[in-house]
Amino acid sequence: QLQLVESGGGLVQPGGSLRLSCAAAGFTLDNYAIGWFRQAPGKEREGVSCISSGEITIYVDSVKGRFSISRDNAKNTVYLQMNSLKPEDTAVYYCAAGLEPLCGQMDYWGKGTLVTVSS
């Protein structure tokens, strides 16, 4: 019933850009904080960015200045614009939703979309 679906992943060269989308189904995300997380093979899951229902945003230091999170409540969708991509950004990217303001505990998770940054 409650579902988040990521899209927009793929193969991109270092220095390139990609925009990920996270669309909600079965609920309205207006009142939710939405976070982007990523997990590379053999690595722990890492929080990348979060946007609150009031559009306060936070980023992990490694992506600050390169990534930008935004939301379009009319489309029930959250985006992650990724610029100046590096090979170390390669991971499966997940979006998640929760009622805590800045992505504490997340209640709903998508299945993920793979981002590969390589020459």
Side-chain angles (χ1 to χ4, degrees), residues 5 22 28 30-31 37 48 54 79 92 97 105:
V5 180
C22 173
T28 300
D30 298 35
N31 296 322
F37 301 79
V48 176
Y79 305 96
V92 176
Q105 179 173 313

Side-chain angles (χ1 to χ4, degrees), residues 36 39 46 48 89-90 111:
W36 285 97
Q39 188 165 26
E46 175 189 36
V48 176
D89 295 318
T90 296
K111 299 294 185 182

Side-chain angles (χ1 to χ4, degrees), residues 1-5 23-28 32 97 107-110:
Q1 183 182 344
L2 303 178
Q3 187 179 28
L4 295 171
V5 180
F27 68 102
T28 300
Y32 287 82
D107 300 312
Y108 311 112
W109 290 81

Side-chain angles (χ1 to χ4, degrees), residues 41-112:
K43 307 285 286 186
E44 293 185 349
R45 186 182 64 202
E46 175 189 36
V48 176
S49 184
C50 177
I51 184 166
S52 73
S53 62
E55 300 192 354
I56 302 298
T57 60
I58 57 173
Y59 302 89
V60 68
D61 285 346
S62 61
V63 310
K64 201 167 298 180
R66 299 189 297 120
F67 290 11
S68 180
I69 190 170
S70 62
R71 64 194 302 154
D72 186 341
N73 288 344
K75 297 183 183 295
N76 215 26
T77 300
V78 170
Y79 305 96
L80 184 67
Q81 178 67 47
M82 305 185 296
N83 299 323
S84 302
L85 282 161
K86 304 174 179 179
E88 50 262 45
D89 295 318
T90 296
V92 176
Y93 283 71
Y94 303 88
C95 67
L99 291 174
E100 296 189 1
L102 284 175
C103 301
Q105 179 173 313
M106 311 307 293
D107 300 312
Y108 311 112
W109 290 81
K111 299 294 185 182

